[in-house]
Amino acid sequence: MDILEKLMRAYFISDERPHITVNKSICQSCSSKECLYVCPAQRYTLEAEGIQFIADGCLECGACRISCKSGAITWNYPRGGFGVRFRHG
Ligand code: SF4
């Protein structure tokens, strides 16, 4: 099973309070933008107005939090009852 097939098995329960927030003013001075490359769910994109982030679909792996050397990302686990659900088998 490849990564895309595995991702298709996960589903998400959205929360109006995202568990990850991104300080875009810090992102503006970041030249490397690791978040664009490390996120397996491709939750970060670079648009004309700068880094965009969508929390829905996050796999809660923590890679973005670890890779962001600028400290632009505030990361918490989702509140109870929200976030990713993995289906196995
Ligand atoms: Fe992407 Fe993982 Fe960060 Fe979620 S925690 S946004 S899946 S890198």
Side-chain angles (χ1 to χ4, degrees), residues 19-21 44 58 60-65 73-78:
H19 66 290
I20 298 173
T21 56
Y44 295 86
C58 169
E60 301 168 24
C61 70
C64 55
R65 174 180 158 212
I73 296 171
T74 302
W75 202 103
N76 294 288
Y77 281 106

Side-chain angles (χ1 to χ4, degrees), residues 11-25:
Y11 68 98
F12 309 90
I13 300 174
S14 299
D15 188 353
E16 75 270 5
R17 288 174 23 200
H19 66 290
I20 298 173
T21 56
V22 179
N23 184 328
K24 294 179 183 178
S25 63

